[in-house]
Amino acid sequence: MFKIMMSIMVASILSMALMIMCTTISKKSTMDREKMSPFECGFDPKSSARMPFSIQFFLIAILFLIFDIEIVIILPSMITLKTSTFMTWSTTMTFFIMILIGGLIHEWKNNMLEWA
């Protein structure tokens, strides 16, 4: 237990020291017009390089990420089927899948899946 606490303290102190050192060493850059504008061979840009990001695309990406993580969690559960009883395993998987289906229904009702 002492080794675990000591390693947590060393890791915390080391990370704090690195963060403090990086903030003191790094110089502040001023955000002037030249640094904020995109470079196009010395000419003024024809259109804005900073287009607004679609929040709908972000929500679809988050939804995709959630279902990716679901697959990562469900696949190793097949291995635990050997070590646990079938009733416990099926109850756990049913509960897990019902939570995910509930989240999908919630997103569907809030029209988060509508692209238009």
Side-chain angles (χ1 to χ4, degrees):
M1 185 69 176
F2 178 72
K3 288 182 180 180
I4 294 172
M5 293 299 291
M6 197 60 150
S7 60
I8 289 173
M9 283 184 14
V10 168
S12 299
I13 291 171
L14 185 62
S15 62
M16 289 289 231
L18 285 174
M19 285 191 289
I20 291 170
M21 190 171 63
C22 285
T23 55
T24 56
I25 291 175
S26 67
K27 62 179 183 177
K28 303 286 183 192
S29 63
T30 58
M31 297 294 186
D32 59 354
R33 183 181 178 274
E34 296 300 322
K35 286 186 181 178
M36 291 299 291
S37 66
F39 181 71
E40 291 186 11
C41 303
F43 298 108
D44 289 332
K46 293 185 178 197
S47 65
S48 175
R50 289 172 176 80
M51 301 277 249
F53 188 71
S54 171
I55 192 70
Q56 194 68 30
F57 177 76
F58 177 73
L59 291 174
I60 295 294
I62 294 296
L63 183 67
F64 177 75
L65 184 67
I66 289 170
F67 284 107
D68 262 2
I69 292 172
E70 168 199 351
I71 296 297
V72 169
I73 291 173
I74 286 180
L75 285 178
S77 70
M78 298 302 162
I79 297 170
T80 63
L81 180 60
K82 294 178 185 175
T83 59
S84 64
T85 63
F86 182 73
M87 189 63 181
T88 306
W89 183 84
S90 62
T91 305
T92 306
M93 284 296 109
T94 303
F95 185 67
F96 181 70
I97 290 174
M98 292 306 262
I99 289 173
L100 289 171
I101 290 173
L104 181 63
I105 291 171
H106 174 72
E107 289 173 354
W108 197 320
K109 296 242 184 220
N110 288 336
N111 293 328
M112 290 184 186
L113 301 177
E114 294 292 328
W115 190 255

